[in-house]
Amino acid sequence: DGGITQSPKYLFRKEGQNVTLSCEQNLNHDAMYWYRQDPGQGLRLIYYSQIVNDFQKGDIAEGYSVSREKKESFPLTVTSAQKNPTAFYLCASSSRWGQETQYFGPGTRLLVL
Amino acid sequence: AQSVTQPDIHITVSEGASLELRCNYSYGATPYLFWYVQSPGQGLQLLLKYFSGDTLVQGIKGFEAEFKRSQSSFNLRKPSVHWSDAAEYFCAVGAAPPGGYQKVTFGTGTKLQVIP
């Protein structure tokens, strides 16, 4: 079955540590996205990528970094510069950027020790 | 820039009762509109979407939504709610300016509680 996988389901970060969240899709979608979800705030866009080897900052990119070396993969690194990383992180993809529906993975919950 | 408002943070309905979740958007042109559902600790699942054409859109799980341009609304409805519908519902609006990226803006969500 085609879909989006995210790992791990839970991730714990220590002070000063960088952590990487995995997102893989086998839908052959060109565009991929990372969102952060906090209670009562809906989803906020961190980064997006329209094609391989290209990505753009979203609304809250500070303290995060991404790469898009393969079409199916779009990992997100939460760096030590992100002072409030505790949140639920959702990865999404769409067949192409533009008027297309975004499909979501199951999410990763990041907690700070 | 577009925006979307879900005025109800929390709604409680009895099982078998009808449901309407409100969504209002702000965008200068015809928007792309979505409703997603999220169970606790899970990702978002698409319920339905409106891009153009018939303003009454049918979705999965018996949901429907109606696009009303004059009211800038896209309310979600279900005639008879089941206990399994308890979840959080997100309305989203997409915009695609010429040559630009389709930015999707999500509402803050409405939590639905279903009582027996």
Side-chain angles (χ1 to χ4, degrees):
Chain A
D1 287 340
I4 302 173
T5 57
Q6 292 186 241
S7 62
K9 187 172 179 62
Y10 296 95
L11 186 57
F12 298 91
R13 194 190 90 162
K14 296 179 181 178
E15 289 289 335
Q17 185 181 39
N18 294 351
V19 292
T20 297
L21 285 62
S22 170
C23 176
E24 303 276 334
Q25 54 96 2
N26 61 3
L27 300 167
N28 200 32
H29 284 175
D30 285 327
M32 298 186 74
Y33 315 82
W34 273 106
Y35 291 91
R36 170 178 171 142
Q37 186 179 24
D38 296 280
Q41 295 196 41
L43 278 69
R44 292 181 290 170
L45 183 65
I46 305 173
Y47 268 98
Y48 65 94
S49 169
Q50 299 174 14
I51 56 172
V52 176
N53 293 321
D54 178 73
F55 51 83
Q56 304 294 330
K57 292 182 179 180
D59 299 321
I60 56 164
E62 184 174 352
Y64 300 97
S65 66
V66 294
S67 63
R68 187 85 187 276
E69 298 176 359
K70 298 187 296 182
K71 186 175 184 177
E72 59 270 23
S73 178
F74 191 41
L76 173 73
T77 296
V78 183
T79 74
S80 57
Q82 173 49 244
K83 298 306 179 187
N84 184 25
T86 298
F88 192 53
Y89 291 86
L90 288 160
C91 179
S93 70
S94 62
S95 60
R96 62 181 174 89
W97 67 271
Q99 306 87 332
E100 293 296 328
T101 304
Q102 294 183 21
Y103 296 91
F104 285 81
T108 292
R109 185 164 299 280
L110 177 60
L111 301 166
V112 177
L113 295 176
Chain B
Q2 73 270 29
S3 66
V4 58
T5 301
Q6 293 181 250
D8 302 306
I9 296 173
H10 192 271
I11 283 183
T12 300
V13 299
S14 298
E15 191 169 14
S18 63
L19 172 70
E20 183 169 26
L21 301 182
R22 296 183 291 166
C23 173
N24 293 99
Y25 69 90
S26 173
Y27 183 59
T30 300
Y32 308 115
L33 296 160
F34 309 86
W35 274 102
Y36 287 88
V37 61
Q38 184 181 36
S39 297
Q42 302 296 318
L44 274 67
Q45 180 184 20
L46 179 70
L47 284 175
L48 48 78
K49 61 186 178 185
Y50 172 79
F51 281 2
S52 64
D54 193 347
T55 56
L56 184 61
V57 181
Q58 301 297 322
I60 62 171
K61 305 185 179 185
F63 286 92
E64 67 177 25
E66 187 171 11
F67 170 55
K68 293 186 177 180
R69 183 189 303 274
S70 61
Q71 299 178 18
S72 298
S73 69
F74 189 57
N75 294 349
L76 183 70
R77 301 193 295 247
K78 187 170 185 178
S80 178
V81 171
H82 188 262
W83 63 266
S84 61
D85 293 324
E88 191 160 17
Y89 292 79
F90 291 91
C91 181
V93 57
Y101 156 70
Q102 184 215 15
K103 177 179 171 62
V104 177
T105 300
F106 289 82
T108 53
T110 297
K111 284 188 178 178
L112 174 65
Q113 181 182 9
V114 180
I115 56 177

